[in-house]
Amino acid sequence: AEVIREEDDEYKACEFSNFKLDETSKQAIEGLGQDEKVVVLMPGHEFVIAHGPKRTMLFWLCRDVGMTERINGFLEGAKYVVAHLSFAAFVSILAMAELVPYELTYLMILAFPDALRKFLKLNTEAVALVL
């Protein structure tokens, strides 16, 4: 297989290999017209991300494991209540479209606790990889 090397701004080498297609795939591609496109799925790199209370955004903010577990326990206990409050977001979207009274757009604030709960549970290592 031919290897093409490219380097980004940080001069980290990336390798892209040309893979041979099996006969079935080759026949499927040969029948395509010039304007048709093909999506090729390539194998990706796997990595492991540690998980636990010390890896959450909440721990990153308060730096105390006990406090993190207590806050997370409370938020998980209230998960269904705050998730039902998120239904208000649907009503506020209808209000923004003026299908219901426009004053109901303020109901969007009831979706904030559930969004905050989900944000505080995010894994800091995964967020760092995304950013």
Side-chain angles (χ1 to χ4, degrees):
E2 178 187 13
V3 177
I4 302 169
R5 295 187 186 273
E6 292 185 6
E7 292 185 358
D8 61 8
D9 295 334
E10 298 177 14
Y11 302 106
K12 293 179 182 177
C14 298
E15 294 184 5
F16 300 95
S17 301
N18 293 330
F19 296 97
K20 290 189 175 184
L21 297 173
D22 60 353
E23 288 302 316
T24 308
S25 300
K26 198 180 278 188
Q27 289 173 359
I29 290 175
E30 287 175 352
L32 296 175
Q34 289 183 349
D35 293 336
E36 296 179 287
K37 297 181 181 179
V38 176
V39 176
V40 178
L41 303 176
M42 304 291 288
H45 297 286
E46 293 183 13
F47 50 89
V48 177
I49 296 177
H51 180 67
K54 288 187 174 182
R55 305 284 193 259
T56 62
M57 294 296 287
L58 181 57
F59 178 77
W60 183 75
L61 291 171
C62 70
R63 299 287 183 200
D64 182 16
V65 177
M67 177 77 81
T68 300
E69 290 176 343
R70 283 194 302 275
I71 292 173
N72 192 37
F74 171 76
L75 291 174
E76 285 302 306
K79 175 170 58 175
Y80 298 109
V81 173
V82 296
H84 283 77
L85 289 176
S86 295
F87 177 72
F90 175 72
V91 175
S92 69
I93 290 171
L94 291 177
M96 286 182 229
E98 296 183 1
L99 298 174
V100 294
Y102 187 74
E103 290 78 17
L104 294 177
T105 55
Y106 293 106
L107 289 176
M108 183 61 85
I109 201 159
L110 295 177
F112 180 73
D114 192 43
L116 181 64
R117 179 186 67 83
K118 291 175 182 175
F119 172 75
L120 293 177
K121 288 180 65 177
L122 288 177
N123 188 307
T124 52
E125 292 181 35
V127 170
L129 287 172
V130 171
L131 297 177

